[in-house]
Amino acid sequence: MQVAVEDVTRALVLRVVDYGETDRVVTLLTEQLGKGAAFARAARRSQRRFGGGALEPGTLVRAAVGRRASSERGGGMWTLGRAEVLRSAAGLGRDLDALGRAHYALELCNAAVPEHEADAPLFALCEAFVERCAAGQASEAALRRFELALLLALGWAPAWTSCAECGRPWGRTTPVWFWAERGGLLCPEHAPPDRRGAVPLRPDTAAAMGGEADDALAGDGAACARACLDLVWRAHLGRELRSAAVRRVLAS
C-alpha cells in the first residue's frame, strides 16, 4: 500500500480484529481524521510500535495514521504505523459495570459514527466518557446522558419537548408518549389512538431527555429513558448492539 501522508493524531481504540497470524485491523475514532479502520502490520508481535496495551479497546493513543496516495482525508483503509499509549484501558477492568458501559459506548460509536468525517467535539465527547468509566465515575444516568449528547452530535436527536409532527409544546403536568419511528413525542392530535409502539414517559423524564436535570434519568424514570434510547438506536442502526443485549441479560 503506497502511503502519501502520515498524520499523527490522538485516537480512541474502538475495536480490534486479528488478521492472519500477526496483523490486526484496528478501528479508531481519531481527533483529526474521524473514524476509520487501520491495518496494523505485525501488531501482534511488535512491542516497539504497539506495546503497553496500545491496541486494547478503550485505550487512548497517539496514533501514526497513514493514508493512501489516492485518498484525500479518508477513503479506503488506513495503515497504523505505531500507537503510543496516552491513557490505558486497564482501569476499566477494575469494575465490571464500568467495563460494560465503556464497551457499550465503544460499540455504539463504532456503529453510529460515520467514517472519515473529522469531528473534534464528538471525539472529545466519546473520549471523556470512556475516561469517566475508567475512573469509576460513569453511572447509568451518565451513560444515558452520553447517549443523548451523541444523538445530538450526530443530528439524530428526537423531539423531546414538543410534538415531532406539529411542533406544539407538550404540557408538563401529564404523561407523554414517545415514538422512535415518528421522531419523538407526539401530541394527542397526532398520536396513534392505540399507542402501539409507544413508550409512556413522565413529564420530568421527558424534560430530562431534552436536556434538563439528570436526576430524572435515574430512579423511576430510568427504565423508560432506557427503553426510548434503545428504540432510537435500533431505528437508526437497524439492529440491536451485541453489548446492549449482553447488558440486558446481566441486568435481569
Side-chain angles (χ1 to χ4, degrees):
M1 179 183 294
Q2 182 182 0
V3 176
V5 62
E6 183 178 78
D7 295 279
V8 178
T9 177
R10 292 200 307 156
L12 185 65
V13 179
L14 300 182
R15 185 169 183 259
V16 179
V17 177
D18 290 341
Y19 184 86
E21 295 184 0
T22 63
D23 306 325
R24 282 178 167 164
V25 175
V26 185
T27 303
L28 300 170
L29 180 64
T30 76
E31 188 171 34
Q32 297 178 17
L33 304 172
K35 188 192 79 175
F39 187 76
R41 190 176 301 279
R44 293 157 68 185
R45 67 184 183 195
S46 178
Q47 289 297 307
R48 180 177 61 85
R49 293 186 297 126
F50 304 110
L55 300 188
E56 292 295 328
T59 305
L60 180 68
V61 299
R62 180 176 290 107
V65 176
R67 294 177 284 113
R68 287 184 292 182
S70 60
S71 67
E72 306 225 347
R73 274 179 108 67
M77 184 176 289
W78 300 330
T79 59
L80 184 60
R82 63 188 183 280
E84 172 192 352
V85 175
L86 298 177
R87 189 195 67 239
S88 172
L92 295 173
R94 292 193 292 266
D95 184 336
L96 289 180
D97 289 335
L99 181 66
R101 291 172 192 134
H103 279 200
Y104 171 72
L106 294 171
E107 187 182 4
L108 189 58
C109 291
N110 187 34
V113 175
E115 290 194 340
H116 306 147
E117 295 184 12
D119 190 331
L122 188 149
F123 169 82
L125 170 70
C126 300
E127 187 274 321
F129 180 75
V130 175
E131 182 178 17
R132 289 186 67 183
C133 290
Q137 299 173 352
S139 63
E140 280 295 310
L143 174 60
R144 288 185 281 275
R145 180 58 65 202
F146 163 75
E147 292 178 74
L148 290 165
L150 182 59
L151 284 169
L152 186 62
L154 294 170
W156 293 352
W160 297 114
T161 59
S162 61
C163 176
E165 294 287 340
C166 67
R168 182 185 306 166
W170 50 267
R172 300 198 177 194
T173 58
T174 58
V176 292
W177 297 79
F178 175 83
W179 280 265
E181 69 277 8
R182 299 281 292 275
L185 303 177
L186 295 180
C187 68
E189 181 179 342
H190 293 98
D194 60 6
R195 302 293 194 262
R196 182 174 300 172
V199 176
L201 289 177
R202 297 185 332 188
D204 60 341
T205 303
M209 300 291 270
E212 297 186 10
D214 284 3
D215 55 1
L217 296 180
D220 293 340
C224 288
R226 178 75 270 153
C228 288
L229 288 168
D230 286 346
L231 288 172
V232 172
W233 291 122
R234 189 188 291 262
H236 283 288
L237 302 178
R239 60 183 176 88
E240 182 180 47
L241 299 181
R242 178 180 302 177
S243 54
V246 171
R247 279 166 47 80
R248 187 176 62 255
V249 169
L250 293 177
S252 62

